[in-house]
Amino acid sequence: RARPRRPCLGRALARDGENVEALSALAYVQGMFDWQWSVAEATIRRAMTLEPNNVDARYVHSLVLMALGRLDAAVAEIDVAARLDPLSAQVPSTYGRILYRARRLDEARVRLERAIELEPRNVSTYVRLAAVLEHTGRYDEALSTVETMEAILSRPTILAVATRARILARAGRSAEARQLLARVPPDSPQQAEVRAALSDRDGAFASLFRALEDRESWPLFIKSDPAFESLHGDPRWTAVLRRMNLE
């Protein structure tokens, strides 16, 4: 995630305190990088008050709501963004991401497939579609989706390796999953996903706490991510959310 430059945002807002694009970018920084969720929501609500039909504002608001786990509200916001910009590939990709967290998996698949139609080289969308297929038990299709992503990238990546390992773990192919896990850095949040899928709670939390030190690679929308659902009953889960101001 590339951080919008705060000085530039400050200058833009100094010139025009009602610059909706600058307010939206500022809310993104406040939430996604600073984890000041209430501040971010106040900023983005101001932007939407100024311009209710601004796609950027609606989109950022949906991200903040998804991070907070307020999924019904997040779906409502991303739906507005989708209606305002029906040709955007990023909006349906994020729509699918939110629906996945809301456990509305069939709807999520439809949105993600639409995103791929609009932009067939968006790697993130394939990752999200693979997760949806995985959680509906369609493991072979999920692995095929990862193969498509790897073909687009033309090179192996940690994200692809970890995604494949997590799917294999969910499919009960633990030995194969562990072989791939050895290629994933220990401080990677993706390693935490794989370890959770392998029912290795201690390993998953160790990876999560290491990853907390690196906000650039941190999975922001962890609170309602099905990949970590098996960890929710552990007291350490509350500590993770507290560190992110999401308790």
Side-chain angles (χ1 to χ4, degrees), residues 104-157:
R104 293 163 58 175
L105 300 177
D106 290 340
E107 296 172 74
R109 181 175 182 177
V110 170
R111 294 289 179 174
L112 292 166
E113 288 176 344
R114 174 57 177 161
I116 289 171
E117 288 178 8
L118 291 166
E119 178 45 78
R121 299 189 64 81
N122 186 336
V123 172
S124 295
T125 303
Y126 289 96
V127 173
R128 294 165 189 173
L129 179 58
V132 169
L133 292 167
E134 170 195 332
H135 278 79
T136 53
R138 304 169 79 159
Y139 302 119
D140 289 341
E141 290 181 60
L143 291 170
S144 178
T145 301
V146 176
E147 289 174 4
T148 301
M149 178 183 75
E150 290 173 322
I152 292 170
L153 292 168
S154 299
R155 68 184 190 282
T157 65

Short mmCIF file of all heavy atoms in Angstrom, two decimals, residues 104-157:
data_model
loop_
_atom_site.label_atom_id
_atom_site.label_comp_id
_atom_site.label_asym_id
_atom_site.label_seq_id
_atom_site.Cartn_x
_atom_site.Cartn_y
_atom_site.Cartn_z
N ARG A 104 -20.92 -13.90 2.57
CA ARG A 104 -21.86 -13.97 1.45
C ARG A 104 -21.06 -14.41 0.23
O ARG A 104 -20.76 -13.65 -0.67
CB ARG A 104 -22.53 -12.60 1.27
CG ARG A 104 -23.43 -12.25 2.45
CD ARG A 104 -23.82 -10.79 2.54
NE ARG A 104 -24.49 -10.29 1.37
CZ ARG A 104 -25.00 -9.06 1.28
NH1 ARG A 104 -24.90 -8.23 2.32
NH2 ARG A 104 -25.60 -8.65 0.18
N LEU A 105 -20.69 -15.69 0.24
CA LEU A 105 -19.65 -16.18 -0.66
C LEU A 105 -20.09 -16.26 -2.11
O LEU A 105 -19.31 -15.96 -3.02
CB LEU A 105 -19.16 -17.54 -0.16
CG LEU A 105 -18.55 -17.53 1.25
CD1 LEU A 105 -18.16 -18.94 1.67
CD2 LEU A 105 -17.35 -16.60 1.33
N ASP A 106 -21.33 -16.65 -2.35
CA ASP A 106 -21.80 -16.72 -3.74
C ASP A 106 -21.82 -15.34 -4.38
O ASP A 106 -21.42 -15.15 -5.54
CB ASP A 106 -23.19 -17.35 -3.80
CG ASP A 106 -23.18 -18.84 -3.48
OD1 ASP A 106 -22.10 -19.46 -3.59
OD2 ASP A 106 -24.24 -19.38 -3.12
N GLU A 107 -22.30 -14.36 -3.62
CA GLU A 107 -22.31 -12.98 -4.13
C GLU A 107 -20.89 -12.47 -4.33
O GLU A 107 -20.61 -11.74 -5.30
CB GLU A 107 -23.06 -12.07 -3.15
CG GLU A 107 -24.53 -12.39 -2.97
CD GLU A 107 -25.13 -11.58 -1.85
OE1 GLU A 107 -25.35 -10.37 -2.05
OE2 GLU A 107 -25.37 -12.15 -0.77
N ALA A 108 -20.01 -12.83 -3.42
CA ALA A 108 -18.61 -12.40 -3.54
C ALA A 108 -18.00 -12.91 -4.83
O ALA A 108 -17.30 -12.18 -5.54
CB ALA A 108 -17.81 -12.89 -2.34
N ARG A 109 -18.26 -14.17 -5.14
CA ARG A 109 -17.69 -14.74 -6.36
C ARG A 109 -18.17 -13.99 -7.59
O ARG A 109 -17.38 -13.71 -8.50
CB ARG A 109 -18.06 -16.22 -6.45
CG ARG A 109 -17.47 -16.90 -7.69
CD ARG A 109 -17.73 -18.38 -7.71
NE ARG A 109 -17.10 -18.98 -8.88
CZ ARG A 109 -17.11 -20.28 -9.15
NH1 ARG A 109 -17.70 -21.12 -8.33
NH2 ARG A 109 -16.51 -20.74 -10.23
N VAL A 110 -19.45 -13.65 -7.65
CA VAL A 110 -19.98 -12.92 -8.79
C VAL A 110 -19.26 -11.59 -8.97
O VAL A 110 -18.86 -11.21 -10.09
CB VAL A 110 -21.50 -12.70 -8.62
CG1 VAL A 110 -22.03 -11.73 -9.68
CG2 VAL A 110 -22.24 -14.02 -8.71
N ARG A 111 -19.06 -10.87 -7.89
CA ARG A 111 -18.41 -9.56 -7.96
C ARG A 111 -16.95 -9.70 -8.40
O ARG A 111 -16.43 -8.90 -9.20
CB ARG A 111 -18.49 -8.86 -6.61
CG ARG A 111 -19.90 -8.50 -6.19
CD ARG A 111 -20.48 -7.37 -7.01
NE ARG A 111 -21.85 -7.06 -6.61
CZ ARG A 111 -22.57 -6.04 -7.09
NH1 ARG A 111 -22.03 -5.24 -7.99
NH2 ARG A 111 -23.81 -5.85 -6.68
N LEU A 112 -16.27 -10.70 -7.86
CA LEU A 112 -14.85 -10.88 -8.19
C LEU A 112 -14.69 -11.32 -9.65
O LEU A 112 -13.76 -10.87 -10.33
CB LEU A 112 -14.23 -11.89 -7.23
CG LEU A 112 -14.11 -11.39 -5.79
CD1 LEU A 112 -13.80 -12.55 -4.85
CD2 LEU A 112 -13.07 -10.29 -5.66
N GLU A 113 -15.56 -12.16 -10.12
CA GLU A 113 -15.49 -12.57 -11.53
C GLU A 113 -15.76 -11.38 -12.44
O GLU A 113 -15.15 -11.26 -13.51
CB GLU A 113 -16.47 -13.71 -11.79
CG GLU A 113 -16.01 -15.03 -11.16
CD GLU A 113 -17.02 -16.15 -11.31
OE1 GLU A 113 -18.20 -15.85 -11.63
OE2 GLU A 113 -16.64 -17.33 -11.11
N ARG A 114 -16.65 -10.50 -12.03
CA ARG A 114 -16.90 -9.27 -12.79
C ARG A 114 -15.66 -8.39 -12.80
O ARG A 114 -15.30 -7.81 -13.84
CB ARG A 114 -18.08 -8.52 -12.19
CG ARG A 114 -18.35 -7.14 -12.81
CD ARG A 114 -18.57 -7.21 -14.30
NE ARG A 114 -18.89 -5.90 -14.87
CZ ARG A 114 -18.78 -5.62 -16.15
NH1 ARG A 114 -18.38 -6.54 -17.04
NH2 ARG A 114 -19.08 -4.40 -16.59
N ALA A 115 -14.98 -8.29 -11.68
CA ALA A 115 -13.75 -7.50 -11.60
C ALA A 115 -12.69 -8.05 -12.55
O ALA A 115 -11.96 -7.29 -13.20
CB ALA A 115 -13.23 -7.47 -10.17
N ILE A 116 -12.60 -9.36 -12.65
CA ILE A 116 -11.62 -9.98 -13.54
C ILE A 116 -11.99 -9.72 -15.00
O ILE A 116 -11.12 -9.49 -15.84
CB ILE A 116 -11.51 -11.49 -13.24
CG1 ILE A 116 -10.80 -11.69 -11.90
CG2 ILE A 116 -10.77 -12.22 -14.36
CD1 ILE A 116 -10.82 -13.11 -11.40
N GLU A 117 -13.28 -9.72 -15.31
CA GLU A 117 -13.71 -9.37 -16.66
C GLU A 117 -13.25 -7.96 -17.03
O GLU A 117 -12.81 -7.71 -18.16
CB GLU A 117 -15.24 -9.45 -16.76
CG GLU A 117 -15.81 -10.85 -16.76
CD GLU A 117 -17.33 -10.82 -16.80
OE1 GLU A 117 -17.90 -9.72 -16.99
OE2 GLU A 117 -17.95 -11.88 -16.63
N LEU A 118 -13.36 -7.05 -16.08
CA LEU A 118 -13.00 -5.65 -16.33
C LEU A 118 -11.49 -5.44 -16.37
O LEU A 118 -11.00 -4.60 -17.12
CB LEU A 118 -13.63 -4.76 -15.26
CG LEU A 118 -15.15 -4.63 -15.32
CD1 LEU A 118 -15.68 -4.01 -14.03
CD2 LEU A 118 -15.57 -3.80 -16.53
N GLU A 119 -10.75 -6.19 -15.53
CA GLU A 119 -9.30 -6.06 -15.48
C GLU A 119 -8.70 -7.43 -15.19
O GLU A 119 -8.49 -7.80 -14.04
CB GLU A 119 -8.88 -5.05 -14.42
CG GLU A 119 -7.37 -4.89 -14.25
CD GLU A 119 -6.65 -4.80 -15.58
OE1 GLU A 119 -6.68 -3.71 -16.19
OE2 GLU A 119 -6.07 -5.80 -16.03
N PRO A 120 -8.42 -8.20 -16.26
CA PRO A 120 -7.98 -9.59 -16.07
C PRO A 120 -6.57 -9.75 -15.54
O PRO A 120 -6.13 -10.87 -15.29
CB PRO A 120 -8.11 -10.19 -17.48
CG PRO A 120 -8.06 -9.03 -18.40
CD PRO A 120 -8.66 -7.87 -17.67
N ARG A 121 -5.83 -8.65 -15.32
CA ARG A 121 -4.47 -8.76 -14.83
C ARG A 121 -4.31 -8.22 -13.41
O ARG A 121 -3.19 -8.03 -12.94
CB ARG A 121 -3.50 -8.04 -15.77
CG ARG A 121 -3.49 -8.63 -17.18
CD ARG A 121 -2.37 -8.05 -18.02
NE ARG A 121 -1.06 -8.37 -17.49
CZ ARG A 121 -0.44 -9.54 -17.68
NH1 ARG A 121 -1.02 -10.49 -18.39
NH2 ARG A 121 0.75 -9.75 -17.17
N ASN A 122 -5.41 -8.01 -12.73
CA ASN A 122 -5.35 -7.53 -11.34
C ASN A 122 -5.13 -8.73 -10.42
O ASN A 122 -6.04 -9.51 -10.14
CB ASN A 122 -6.66 -6.81 -10.97
CG ASN A 122 -6.58 -6.17 -9.60
OD1 ASN A 122 -5.80 -6.57 -8.74
ND2 ASN A 122 -7.39 -5.15 -9.39
N VAL A 123 -3.90 -8.88 -9.96
CA VAL A 123 -3.51 -10.05 -9.17
C VAL A 123 -4.31 -10.14 -7.87
O VAL A 123 -4.71 -11.23 -7.44
CB VAL A 123 -1.99 -10.01 -8.89
CG1 VAL A 123 -1.60 -11.10 -7.90
CG2 VAL A 123 -1.21 -10.15 -10.19
N SER A 124 -4.56 -9.02 -7.24
CA SER A 124 -5.28 -9.03 -5.96
C SER A 124 -6.65 -9.68 -6.09
O SER A 124 -7.12 -10.37 -5.17
CB SER A 124 -5.44 -7.60 -5.43
OG SER A 124 -4.19 -7.04 -5.13
N THR A 125 -7.30 -9.47 -7.22
CA THR A 125 -8.63 -10.04 -7.40
C THR A 125 -8.57 -11.57 -7.43
O THR A 125 -9.45 -12.25 -6.89
CB THR A 125 -9.27 -9.50 -8.68
OG1 THR A 125 -9.31 -8.07 -8.62
CG2 THR A 125 -10.70 -10.00 -8.83
N TYR A 126 -7.53 -12.11 -8.04
CA TYR A 126 -7.38 -13.57 -8.09
C TYR A 126 -7.15 -14.13 -6.68
O TYR A 126 -7.67 -15.20 -6.34
CB TYR A 126 -6.23 -13.96 -9.01
CG TYR A 126 -6.54 -13.75 -10.47
CD1 TYR A 126 -6.14 -12.59 -11.12
CD2 TYR A 126 -7.25 -14.69 -11.21
CE1 TYR A 126 -6.43 -12.37 -12.45
CE2 TYR A 126 -7.54 -14.49 -12.55
CZ TYR A 126 -7.13 -13.32 -13.16
OH TYR A 126 -7.42 -13.11 -14.50
N VAL A 127 -6.39 -13.42 -5.87
CA VAL A 127 -6.16 -13.85 -4.49
C VAL A 127 -7.49 -13.90 -3.74
O VAL A 127 -7.78 -14.85 -3.00
CB VAL A 127 -5.18 -12.90 -3.78
CG1 VAL A 127 -5.07 -13.24 -2.30
CG2 VAL A 127 -3.81 -12.97 -4.44
N ARG A 128 -8.31 -12.88 -3.93
CA ARG A 128 -9.60 -12.82 -3.25
C ARG A 128 -10.55 -13.91 -3.75
O ARG A 128 -11.27 -14.52 -2.96
CB ARG A 128 -10.20 -11.43 -3.44
CG ARG A 128 -9.38 -10.35 -2.76
CD ARG A 128 -9.71 -8.94 -3.23
NE ARG A 128 -8.73 -7.99 -2.69
CZ ARG A 128 -8.67 -6.71 -3.02
NH1 ARG A 128 -9.54 -6.21 -3.89
NH2 ARG A 128 -7.75 -5.93 -2.48
N LEU A 129 -10.54 -14.14 -5.05
CA LEU A 129 -11.39 -15.19 -5.60
C LEU A 129 -10.95 -16.57 -5.10
O LEU A 129 -11.79 -17.42 -4.76
CB LEU A 129 -11.36 -15.15 -7.13
CG LEU A 129 -12.19 -16.22 -7.85
CD1 LEU A 129 -13.65 -16.13 -7.44
CD2 LEU A 129 -12.04 -16.06 -9.37
N ALA A 130 -9.65 -16.79 -5.01
CA ALA A 130 -9.14 -18.07 -4.49
C ALA A 130 -9.62 -18.28 -3.05
O ALA A 130 -9.98 -19.41 -2.67
CB ALA A 130 -7.62 -18.10 -4.55
N ALA A 131 -9.64 -17.23 -2.26
CA ALA A 131 -10.09 -17.35 -0.87
C ALA A 131 -11.57 -17.71 -0.81
O ALA A 131 -11.99 -18.53 0.02
CB ALA A 131 -9.84 -16.04 -0.12
N VAL A 132 -12.37 -17.11 -1.68
CA VAL A 132 -13.79 -17.43 -1.71
C VAL A 132 -14.00 -18.89 -2.10
O VAL A 132 -14.77 -19.62 -1.46
CB VAL A 132 -14.52 -16.50 -2.71
CG1 VAL A 132 -15.95 -16.99 -2.96
CG2 VAL A 132 -14.55 -15.07 -2.17
N LEU A 133 -13.30 -19.34 -3.13
CA LEU A 133 -13.43 -20.73 -3.57
C LEU A 133 -12.97 -21.69 -2.48
O LEU A 133 -13.58 -22.73 -2.25
CB LEU A 133 -12.61 -20.93 -4.85
CG LEU A 133 -13.13 -20.20 -6.09
CD1 LEU A 133 -12.09 -20.22 -7.19
CD2 LEU A 133 -14.44 -20.82 -6.57
N GLU A 134 -11.90 -21.32 -1.80
CA GLU A 134 -11.39 -22.14 -0.69
C GLU A 134 -12.44 -22.32 0.39
O GLU A 134 -12.65 -23.43 0.90
CB GLU A 134 -10.14 -21.47 -0.12
CG GLU A 134 -9.62 -22.04 1.17
CD GLU A 134 -8.62 -21.10 1.84
OE1 GLU A 134 -7.95 -20.32 1.11
OE2 GLU A 134 -8.53 -21.13 3.07
N HIS A 135 -13.11 -21.24 0.75
CA HIS A 135 -14.06 -21.31 1.85
C HIS A 135 -15.42 -21.88 1.44
O HIS A 135 -16.29 -22.06 2.29
CB HIS A 135 -14.23 -19.92 2.49
CG HIS A 135 -13.13 -19.61 3.47
ND1 HIS A 135 -11.88 -19.20 3.08
CD2 HIS A 135 -13.10 -19.72 4.82
CE1 HIS A 135 -11.12 -19.04 4.14
NE2 HIS A 135 -11.82 -19.34 5.20
N THR A 136 -15.57 -22.19 0.16
CA THR A 136 -16.74 -22.95 -0.27
C THR A 136 -16.36 -24.40 -0.56
O THR A 136 -17.17 -25.16 -1.08
CB THR A 136 -17.38 -22.31 -1.52
OG1 THR A 136 -16.39 -22.15 -2.54
CG2 THR A 136 -17.98 -20.96 -1.19
N GLY A 137 -15.13 -24.77 -0.21
CA GLY A 137 -14.69 -26.15 -0.38
C GLY A 137 -14.28 -26.51 -1.79
O GLY A 137 -14.07 -27.69 -2.09
N ARG A 138 -14.13 -25.52 -2.65
CA ARG A 138 -13.77 -25.78 -4.05
C ARG A 138 -12.26 -25.62 -4.20
O ARG A 138 -11.76 -24.71 -4.85
CB ARG A 138 -14.56 -24.85 -4.96
CG ARG A 138 -16.06 -24.97 -4.73
CD ARG A 138 -16.89 -23.91 -5.40
NE ARG A 138 -17.08 -24.16 -6.82
CZ ARG A 138 -18.06 -23.65 -7.54
NH1 ARG A 138 -18.96 -22.87 -6.98
NH2 ARG A 138 -18.16 -23.91 -8.83
N TYR A 139 -11.55 -26.53 -3.58
CA TYR A 139 -10.10 -26.39 -3.45
C TYR A 139 -9.37 -26.48 -4.79
O TYR A 139 -8.42 -25.72 -5.03
CB TYR A 139 -9.57 -27.45 -2.48
CG TYR A 139 -10.19 -27.36 -1.11
CD1 TYR A 139 -10.92 -28.44 -0.60
CD2 TYR A 139 -10.09 -26.21 -0.34
CE1 TYR A 139 -11.50 -28.37 0.67
CE2 TYR A 139 -10.67 -26.13 0.92
CZ TYR A 139 -11.38 -27.21 1.41
OH TYR A 139 -11.96 -27.12 2.65
N ASP A 140 -9.80 -27.37 -5.66
CA ASP A 140 -9.12 -27.49 -6.95
C ASP A 140 -9.28 -26.20 -7.77
O ASP A 140 -8.33 -25.74 -8.40
CB ASP A 140 -9.68 -28.67 -7.74
CG ASP A 140 -9.25 -30.01 -7.15
OD1 ASP A 140 -8.27 -30.03 -6.37
OD2 ASP A 140 -9.89 -31.03 -7.46
N GLU A 141 -10.47 -25.62 -7.73
CA GLU A 141 -10.69 -24.36 -8.44
C GLU A 141 -9.87 -23.24 -7.80
O GLU A 141 -9.36 -22.35 -8.51
CB GLU A 141 -12.17 -24.00 -8.43
CG GLU A 141 -13.04 -24.89 -9.29
CD GLU A 141 -14.50 -24.46 -9.25
OE1 GLU A 141 -14.79 -23.33 -9.64
OE2 GLU A 141 -15.33 -25.28 -8.80
N ALA A 142 -9.76 -23.26 -6.50
CA ALA A 142 -8.97 -22.24 -5.82
C ALA A 142 -7.50 -22.33 -6.23
O ALA A 142 -6.85 -21.32 -6.52
CB ALA A 142 -9.11 -22.39 -4.30
N LEU A 143 -6.97 -23.56 -6.28
CA LEU A 143 -5.58 -23.75 -6.70
C LEU A 143 -5.39 -23.35 -8.16
O LEU A 143 -4.36 -22.76 -8.53
CB LEU A 143 -5.18 -25.21 -6.49
CG LEU A 143 -5.06 -25.66 -5.04
CD1 LEU A 143 -4.91 -27.17 -4.96
CD2 LEU A 143 -3.89 -24.97 -4.34
N SER A 144 -6.38 -23.62 -8.99
CA SER A 144 -6.30 -23.21 -10.39
C SER A 144 -6.27 -21.69 -10.52
O SER A 144 -5.57 -21.13 -11.37
CB SER A 144 -7.50 -23.79 -11.16
OG SER A 144 -7.48 -23.37 -12.51
N THR A 145 -7.01 -21.03 -9.65
CA THR A 145 -7.02 -19.56 -9.65
C THR A 145 -5.64 -19.02 -9.28
O THR A 145 -5.18 -18.03 -9.86
CB THR A 145 -8.09 -19.05 -8.67
OG1 THR A 145 -9.37 -19.55 -9.07
CG2 THR A 145 -8.13 -17.53 -8.64
N VAL A 146 -4.99 -19.67 -8.33
CA VAL A 146 -3.63 -19.26 -7.97
C VAL A 146 -2.68 -19.47 -9.15
O VAL A 146 -1.81 -18.63 -9.42
CB VAL A 146 -3.13 -20.04 -6.73
CG1 VAL A 146 -1.67 -19.69 -6.42
CG2 VAL A 146 -4.00 -19.74 -5.53
N GLU A 147 -2.84 -20.56 -9.88
CA GLU A 147 -2.01 -20.81 -11.06
C GLU A 147 -2.19 -19.72 -12.10
O GLU A 147 -1.21 -19.27 -12.72
CB GLU A 147 -2.36 -22.17 -11.65
CG GLU A 147 -1.93 -23.35 -10.80
CD GLU A 147 -2.42 -24.68 -11.35
OE1 GLU A 147 -3.05 -24.67 -12.44
OE2 GLU A 147 -2.19 -25.72 -10.69
N THR A 148 -3.40 -19.27 -12.28
CA THR A 148 -3.66 -18.16 -13.21
C THR A 148 -2.94 -16.91 -12.76
O THR A 148 -2.33 -16.19 -13.57
CB THR A 148 -5.17 -17.89 -13.31
OG1 THR A 148 -5.84 -19.07 -13.75
CG2 THR A 148 -5.45 -16.76 -14.29
N MET A 149 -3.00 -16.64 -11.47
CA MET A 149 -2.31 -15.48 -10.92
C MET A 149 -0.80 -15.59 -11.15
O MET A 149 -0.15 -14.61 -11.56
CB MET A 149 -2.60 -15.37 -9.43
CG MET A 149 -1.90 -14.23 -8.72
SD MET A 149 -2.22 -14.22 -6.94
CE MET A 149 -1.19 -15.57 -6.40
N GLU A 150 -0.24 -16.76 -10.93
CA GLU A 150 1.19 -16.96 -11.12
C GLU A 150 1.58 -16.78 -12.58
O GLU A 150 2.65 -16.24 -12.90
CB GLU A 150 1.59 -18.35 -10.63
CG GLU A 150 1.52 -18.50 -9.11
CD GLU A 150 1.76 -19.93 -8.66
OE1 GLU A 150 1.29 -20.86 -9.35
OE2 GLU A 150 2.42 -20.11 -7.62
N ALA A 151 0.71 -17.19 -13.49
CA ALA A 151 0.98 -17.01 -14.92
C ALA A 151 1.02 -15.53 -15.29
O ALA A 151 1.84 -15.10 -16.11
CB ALA A 151 -0.07 -17.74 -15.74
N ILE A 152 0.16 -14.75 -14.66
CA ILE A 152 0.15 -13.31 -14.91
C ILE A 152 1.44 -12.67 -14.40
O ILE A 152 2.04 -11.83 -15.06
CB ILE A 152 -1.08 -12.66 -14.24
CG1 ILE A 152 -2.36 -13.12 -14.93
CG2 ILE A 152 -0.98 -11.14 -14.27
CD1 ILE A 152 -3.63 -12.73 -14.21
N LEU A 153 1.87 -13.10 -13.21
CA LEU A 153 3.06 -12.53 -12.60
C LEU A 153 4.34 -12.98 -13.30
O LEU A 153 5.35 -12.27 -13.28
CB LEU A 153 3.14 -12.92 -11.13
CG LEU A 153 2.08 -12.31 -10.22
CD1 LEU A 153 2.08 -13.00 -8.87
CD2 LEU A 153 2.32 -10.81 -10.06
N SER A 154 4.31 -14.18 -13.89
CA SER A 154 5.47 -14.77 -14.58
C SER A 154 6.64 -15.01 -13.63
O SER A 154 7.79 -15.11 -14.07
CB SER A 154 5.92 -13.87 -15.74
OG SER A 154 4.88 -13.74 -16.68
N ARG A 155 6.36 -15.07 -12.34
CA ARG A 155 7.42 -15.36 -11.36
C ARG A 155 6.76 -15.78 -10.05
O ARG A 155 5.63 -15.36 -9.76
CB ARG A 155 8.30 -14.14 -11.11
CG ARG A 155 7.59 -13.01 -10.40
CD ARG A 155 8.47 -11.77 -10.26
NE ARG A 155 7.86 -10.78 -9.38
CZ ARG A 155 6.87 -9.96 -9.73
NH1 ARG A 155 6.36 -10.01 -10.94
NH2 ARG A 155 6.39 -9.07 -8.87
N PRO A 156 7.44 -16.58 -9.26
CA PRO A 156 6.87 -16.96 -7.96
C PRO A 156 6.91 -15.78 -6.99
O PRO A 156 7.84 -14.98 -7.01
CB PRO A 156 7.78 -18.09 -7.50
CG PRO A 156 9.08 -17.83 -8.19
CD PRO A 156 8.73 -17.22 -9.52
N THR A 157 5.91 -15.66 -6.16
CA THR A 157 5.87 -14.62 -5.13
C THR A 157 5.47 -15.25 -3.80
O THR A 157 4.86 -16.32 -3.76
CB THR A 157 4.85 -13.52 -5.47
OG1 THR A 157 3.53 -14.09 -5.45
CG2 THR A 157 5.12 -12.92 -6.85
#
